[in-house]
Amino acid sequence: MNWIETFLKNRQQFVESRSPDKCVRSRVLAVSNGVPQGSVLGPLLFSIHNNDLTRFLQGMAEYMMYADDCAIVVSAHSDSV
């Protein structure tokens, strides 16, 4: 297994909310997509992954990219219900 695969596989995440008198934590879930947030390699891997994305999506979908995040908006309508 190469180092980049090791870096991206077998990751987990949870959400934690704290107040002065209480701490609530979600279940731990597996992460199968994306790049680890806050990592040094994150911005580079994002750039490599999304290098041609804007060219591919041109005319098919709207997209918004900022730093190490991307949102793709696709809409369609149909006359049948």
Side-chain angles (χ1 to χ4, degrees):
M1 186 178 296
N2 65 39
W3 68 270
I4 198 95
E5 187 177 359
T6 303
F7 177 69
L8 295 173
K9 282 196 163 194
N10 300 318
R11 294 179 293 126
Q12 299 178 327
Q13 71 180 19
F14 64 90
V15 176
E16 186 174 273
S17 176
R18 293 181 183 205
S19 65
D21 59 331
K22 190 175 184 181
C23 179
V24 179
R25 190 179 205 186
S26 71
R27 291 184 298 135
V28 176
L29 297 173
V31 178
S32 59
N33 298 318
V35 175
Q37 290 185 337
S39 66
V40 174
L41 283 176
L44 174 63
L45 293 174
F46 177 80
S47 295
I48 292 169
H49 182 266
N50 293 312
N51 190 34
D52 294 325
L53 186 62
T54 56
R55 190 174 348 147
F56 175 77
L57 292 174
Q58 207 166 26
M60 293 184 358
E62 294 181 43
Y63 55 88
M64 293 156 274
M65 300 172 112
Y66 180 77
D68 63 350
D69 197 15
C70 178
I72 301 171
V73 180
V74 179
S75 63
H77 66 274
S78 173
D79 293 333
S80 62
V81 177

